[in-house]
Amino acid sequence: MKPTLQAVADAVGVSRSTVSNAYSRPDQLSATLRERILDAARQLGYPGPNPTARSLRRGFVGSIGVLFTSQLSYAFTDPFAVRFLAGVGGAAERHATSMLLVPLPPGQTDARRAVENAAVDGFCVYCVADEEWALDVIRDRGLPYVSTAARDDAGPDERFVGIDERAAAHSAAAHVAGLGHRRVALLADSVLPGAPAGPLSLSGVHEAGHPTTRGRLAGFADAFAEVGVGWGELTLLNAPGNSRQAAIAAVAGLFDGPTAPTAVLAGSDVLALGVLDALAARPDRDRPPVSVTGFDDVPEAAAAGLTTVRQPAEEKGRIAAELLLDPPADAAAGHVLLPTALVVRGSTGPVPRS
Amino acid sequence: MKPTLQAVADAVGVSRSTVSNAYSRPDQLSATLRERILDAARQLGYPGPNPTARSLRRGFVGSIGVLFTSQLSYAFTDPFAVRFLAGVGGAAERHATSMLLVPLPPGQTDARRAVENAAVDGFCVYCVADEEWALDVIRDRGLPYVSTAARDDAGPDERFVGIDERAAAHSAAAHVAGLGHRRVALLADSVLPGAPAGPLSLSGVHEAGHPTTRGRLAGFADAFAEVGVGWGELTLLNAPGNSRQAAIAAVAGLFDGPTAPTAVLAGSDVLALGVLDALAARPDRDRPPVSVTGFDDVPEAAAAGLTTVRQPAEEKGRIAAELLLDPPADAAAGHVLLPTALVVRGSTGPVPRS
DNA sequence: TTGAAAGCGATACCAT
DNA sequence: ATGGTATCGCTTTCAA
C-alpha cells in the first residue's frame, strides 16, 4: 500500500490540511513543522501529493496537449513538425508545463475518445485533417486551444498562429511563372482524402480536402491565372501522405513525353525533395531540367538547394504554446500571422528552350 | 458551468452509475437506454467522463512519461533523441496511450517536483544525468519504468534497453588504433558536470560523470590500452552539452602544433560533426587530415561520411515503450541489449606520415 | 438491468 | 498557525 497524505498526517499527528499546506503553501505553517512533516514523508516513502488527485481538486493538470492527424511516429519523421514541437516544448518548459502528445487512432469514434480522454489544460491543434470534430470536443470540454491551420469558419475569438498560406504559395508560383514556366504540375498532400498517388482532377481549388493544402493550391493557381494559365491547364498531383515516397509515387511517369511539365510546385519541402529524388533517378540524365519548389524551408532544403517558401517553424510552435499558456488580454493579439519569405536556390531556373 | 455526468443522469432520469456504464461498459445496459443517455449527453454538451476524475478512480492514467535531462527543445534538436521519441511514440500509439514529455527544470528540487507531478502510468527514462534521484521518486510513486542508460547498480528486476556502450566504443577505437593512430583525443559530453569546453584531466575513466559517457570512454581507452597507449597519453576533451557548437569550442586550438592528435573519437555523432566543422573551418586546408569517429549513426552521419558506431535508435524507443506497456512475464526478458555495428566511412584513414 | 453508497487522494474555505 | 468539512467527478462493488 502506497502511503497517502493521510498517512503522513497521522504519523506526524496533524491534519491533512496541514500536510497539504506543507507541500503547496509553505507560508501557511511554521518552518519547523514543515520540516517535521517533510521528514516523516521521506521516512514513509511518501512521494508527494498524487498528481491526479491534486489535478481533480485544483481543476487543472499542468500539461498541454498537442494534437496530430496521423501517426505519432510521423510527427517525428517530418522535419517541420519536429521544429514545431521543439518550439512548443521550449515554451512549455519555460512555463513548467509538460507536453502531452496525443495520437489520434484511425476512426472518428476512437479518435474522439482520445481527445476526450487527454488529461490536459488545453490543446495546440497541429494540422488535424478536417479538424472540426476535434475542436468541437475541445470546446465541449471547455478547454482553450490554439490552431495552426487557418480554418474557414474560425470565430473571431479563436486563437491562431500561422501564415498566409495563399500569399506565401503565390510568391513561389509567381517566381516560377516569372521564369517562363507554363506547363506546370502542382503536387500536394491529401488533395482528396483516400485518393491514390498521382494525377487528379478537381473542378476547382475549393474541392481540396485539407485547408492548408487548399490555401497553398489556391496561391499557386492565383499566380498562374495572372499569366493566363487557368486552373484546367495545371496538372494536379495527389500525394497520399507527406513523404518523399508519396511524392515519388505521385510523379511516376510524369516527365515522359514532349508535353511534360517543366516545373513542379510542391506543397511541402518533403514532397519537393521526393520529386528531386525521382528526377535524379531518371535513367537519362541529360533531359532538360525540371524546376521544383518546396514549402517550409526545413533544414534539409538548404543542402538540397531547394527553392522554397520559408516559414518559421519553431517560432510557430513557441507562439502556439504561449498563446495557450498566457493568453493575451487583447483578443486581436490572439491571432498571429507569421512572416514568410521566398528562398530562391538552385532547384528553379528558366524554362529550357525546346 | 460545464455539465457533469450527474447532470446527464438527472436529465435522463437515471443514476450516475448507469450513465457511467453507458460510456465505459456498454454491455451493462440496454442499447436503447444507452442511446438515450448518449443523446442527452450530446444535447447537454457533455464531453464524456472527465479524464482526471476517471483516472483518480480507476488508478491509471493512460499515458507514459519520457524523462529528459535537459531542455525539451534540445530533445528535438538531437537527431538521436528524435528517432528515439519516434520509436516510443509509435509503440504508445499502438497501445492507445499518450506520451507525456516531462521537462526537467534546472535545480534538483524543481526537477524532483516535475517527476512527482507527472500524471503518467510509468516512465521511459532517457538519459538523465545522475538519474538516481529520479528513479527514487519514480519508485516511491510505485510506478514502473524502463531505463536506457545502463546504471552501475541496477537491480535484476529493473527493466532496461540499451547497448553495450563499452564494447561498442571499443569497436570504433580499435578501428582507429588499427589505422595506426597513437596521438588521439577523446571527446565527450559532460565528462564532468559544470566543466568548461576543452581539455580536461581525469585520473581515470571512473571519474567521468555520466554513465553513458563513462562507458564509451572506457571502451575507447580499452582499445588503446591494447596497443600500448595508456589513459594518461590520451587527450580528454569535455563538451558541455551535446551540440556541434560545444564540440567546436572543445577542439579550439587542438590541431595546432606538431604533436596535435591525429584522430578524435567523439562520444556522439553530433559532437563528431562539430569536429568536422571545426576541421573544415581551419584556414590552412592542406594540413594532414585528422580522423574522426562518431557514435549513433544518425541520419546526418551518412551524408557527412562519418565513421561511426550504429545503434538502432527508433528500435530502442519502441522497445523501451513496449517493455513499459506490456512487461514480459520473464524478468530476464526485461533486460534488452541491442546490437551495434561499426560503420566505416570516409572520416577515418591511416595516420598521415610526418 | 439498474441504483445506492462508498470511496479514489487531495485542496480550500472558514473557523478557531 | 492549524484543523474540520465539504467537495472535485467519477467508478465500482453489492443489493435489489
Side-chain angles (χ1 to χ4, degrees), chain A residues 5 20 46 57:
Chain A
L5 183 147
S20 175
Y46 174 70
R57 187 58 241 241

Side-chain angles (χ1 to χ4, degrees), chain B residues 30 37 62 80 84-85 98 116 131 136 140 157 169 178 186 189 198 207 248 252-253 281 300 309 325 334-335:
Chain B
S30 64
I37 291 175
F80 184 79
F84 177 85
L85 286 175
S98 302
E116 290 169 353
E131 50 200 356
D136 283 345
D140 279 351
D157 59 323
L186 313 183
D189 175 18
E207 287 189 359
I248 292 171
E300 290 87 325
V309 178
L325 291 167
H335 192 94

